[in-house]
């Protein structure tokens, strides 16, 4: 598992594993060659989180679903086409309706960040096709951008409003 995903702590690159005892020795041996160190305070924080009761995780899932739906609805109401989103806290949106002529996903994301104050990440940033040794990887999507919805509801509502005003002129 991932602390970043399990506890909505984006950027925390702390993983954990559960396995039968007879597999843990082999896993520990392999792990020593994969990871140099993880900050002890992060390890303690993840251990604390893993000790939470099941109702914490159930409520986290329902809260994130509500946030996903809130931002998805806001983006759809602006005019974005949204891909289904399950098991993540990111929404993929097709930005082509709002792009300026010749504007790619990176330029669009920079524009909305600077002009609307809303950050998104271009999907092309996740492509391996431009990395040495991965020349046969699928080409990057140049029509999709990614929004994160593990934010406070008021932040999501504000972001949708900013995008609406900036991209459509509605609500000014």
């Amino acid at each position: 598992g991932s602390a970043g995903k399990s506890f909505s702590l984006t950027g925390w690159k702390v993983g954990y594993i559960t396995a039968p005892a007879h597999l843990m020795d082999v896993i520990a041996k392999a792990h020593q060659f994969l990871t140099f160190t993880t900050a002890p305070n992060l390890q303690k924080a993840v251990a604390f989180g893993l000790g939470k009761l099941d109702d914490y995780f159930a409520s986290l899932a329902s809260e994130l679903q509500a946030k996903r739906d809130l931002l998805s609805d806001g983006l759809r109401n602006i005019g974005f086409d949204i891909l289904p989103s399950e098991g993540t806290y990111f929404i993929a949106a097709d930005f082509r309706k709002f792009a300026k002529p010749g504007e790619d996903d990176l330029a669009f994301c920079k524009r909305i960040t600077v002009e609307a104050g809303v950050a998104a990440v271009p999907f092309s940033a996740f492509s391996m096709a431009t990395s040495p040794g991965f020349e046969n990887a699928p080409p990057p999507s140049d029509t999709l951008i990614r929004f994160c919805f593990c934010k406070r509801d008021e932040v999501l509502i504000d972001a949708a409003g900013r995008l609406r005003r900036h991209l459509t002129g509605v609500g000014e």
Side-chain angles (χ1 to χ4, degrees), residues 10-56:
T10 56
W12 280 37
K13 302 300 183 193
V14 181
Y16 57 87
I17 189 165
T18 57
H22 70 280
L23 294 178
M24 288 306 292
D25 285 339
V26 176
I27 292 168
K29 286 178 185 175
H31 182 262
Q32 72 178 341
F33 297 108
L34 300 174
T35 304
F36 179 70
T37 186
T38 300
N41 59 333
L42 298 181
Q43 293 177 41
K44 287 180 181 180
V46 171
F48 175 81
L50 291 173
K52 291 193 169 284
L53 299 176
D54 289 347
D55 63 333
Y56 166 81

Side-chain angles (χ1 to χ4, degrees), residues 49-135:
L50 291 173
K52 291 193 169 284
L53 299 176
D54 289 347
D55 63 333
Y56 166 81
F57 295 99
S59 67
L60 178 63
S62 64
E63 289 170 16
L64 286 173
Q65 288 174 351
K67 290 175 182 301
R68 177 202 60 202
D69 295 345
L70 177 66
L71 185 58
S72 291
D73 291 345
L75 294 171
R76 271 193 205 93
N77 289 336
I78 295 167
F80 282 100
D81 291 324
I82 305 296
L83 273 63
S85 173
E86 294 183 16
T88 182
Y89 39 72
F90 300 106
I91 295 172
D94 189 322
F95 72 96
R96 288 179 286 183
K97 290 179 186 174
F98 304 107
K100 292 182 177 181
E103 188 174 47
D104 65 8
D105 59 345
L106 178 60
F108 182 82
C109 286
K110 285 181 179 179
R111 178 165 61 94
I112 64 171
T113 300
V114 170
E115 297 176 6
V118 178
V121 176
F123 257 61
S124 62
F126 303 105
S127 171
M128 295 297 293
T130 57
S131 300
F134 291 92
E135 292 80 8

